[in-house]
Amino acid sequence: MGLPLLHARFVTQLSLVVLLVCSTVGGLQAQEVANGVFLVARPTLNDPTFRRTVILITQPPGSGPIGVIVNRPTALSVADVLPAYKLIAAQTRKLHFGGPVQQRSLVFLVRTSEPPPRAVAVLRDVYMTTDADWVEAALGESVAPLAASAVRVYAGYSGWAKGQLDNELEREGWYIVPADSDVVFDKAPGEIWGELLKRAMFRNTQHNP
């Protein structure tokens, strides 16, 4: 599949993901529902989609959990899929695979003190949005200052129906670890799973001596 066609499909589906993500917050202000955690795949999880992954998830009210895989870069650069957005495209980072849902749509994680419009709060200073226009404007400081290092772009996202993730946790497919923005924005993707696995196992030792 050529990149122009890939990009066109990304752009045409952005509005669909906006509707999906925004509907999960039930009309609440984004700051009121920030409750993100990391899901860390256990070494025994062999599903190729999620093997050795770390997913930053949030639980919007009235919906199942949603999030993005934070340690699965693709071979594509951000510029490959968003060439019309010059400031976003100027990033040298890779496009990340966010999950198996809506893989031809783009999702952004941004680290900012000002909540973006139509965004889902994940952490105190981290938001999930599909509004490429807002990200582009914020990078240009015409909306609010946003450093290029505070943006990550994902193809697709991960989501679970109500009760589905609980079942996976009962089968011991995942560890749950407190989330922080430094892992998402400052840590090399190849180091994330190993470090978070150590944190998870340490927490288990502390809680189950």
Side-chain angles (χ1 to χ4, degrees):
M1 180 181 295
L3 288 177
L5 178 57
L6 180 65
H7 172 249
R9 290 184 177 178
F10 273 139
V11 172
T12 57
Q13 293 199 24
L14 280 175
S15 59
L16 296 177
V17 180
V18 169
L19 291 174
L20 172 69
V21 173
C22 292
S23 67
T24 64
V25 301
L28 298 177
Q29 291 297 316
Q31 306 93 294
E32 296 180 284
V33 296
N35 54 15
V37 295
F38 286 130
L39 287 182
V40 182
R42 292 177 181 250
T44 54
L45 182 60
N46 291 319
D47 181 335
T49 301
F50 294 113
R51 184 175 181 271
R52 294 193 173 191
T53 59
V54 174
I55 308 177
L56 178 61
I57 68 166
T58 188
Q59 174 77 62
S63 174
I66 57 173
V68 291
I69 298 169
V70 298
N71 65 327
R72 189 68 67 80
T74 72
L76 296 173
S77 71
V78 173
D80 288 331
V81 296
L82 283 175
Y85 291 82
K86 300 303 182 184
L87 296 179
I88 298 175
Q91 296 192 75
T92 58
R93 293 179 179 83
K94 295 293 186 180
L95 176 73
H96 281 66
F97 172 67
V101 183
Q102 295 281 353
Q103 294 181 45
R104 300 191 184 281
S105 300
L106 295 184
V107 177
F108 300 87
L109 283 183
V110 295
R111 179 163 56 179
T112 175
S113 59
E114 295 189 26
R118 301 178 300 282
V120 173
V122 184
L123 300 172
R124 177 182 55 83
D125 58 346
V126 177
Y127 300 86
M128 182 186 302
T129 180
T130 57
D131 191 342
D133 291 328
W134 182 90
V135 175
E136 180 79 358
L139 286 170
E141 299 187 353
S142 61
V143 174
L146 184 66
S149 60
V151 179
R152 294 289 182 273
V153 189
Y154 302 86
Y157 64 96
S158 302
W160 293 261
K162 289 183 182 179
Q164 182 182 0
L165 181 56
D166 292 337
N167 292 333
E168 293 183 17
L169 292 170
E170 289 177 2
R171 295 197 300 268
E172 298 187 338
W174 303 94
Y175 291 111
I176 298 177
V177 177
D180 64 89
S181 60
D182 289 345
V183 168
V184 178
F185 294 96
D186 301 327
K187 183 70 64 177
E191 300 174 1
I192 292 176
W193 182 75
E195 178 173 319
L196 269 291
L197 182 63
K198 290 178 182 177
R199 289 190 199 179
M201 298 181 73
F202 176 76
R203 284 172 56 82
N204 271 17
T205 302
Q206 295 294 101
H207 294 151
N208 301 289

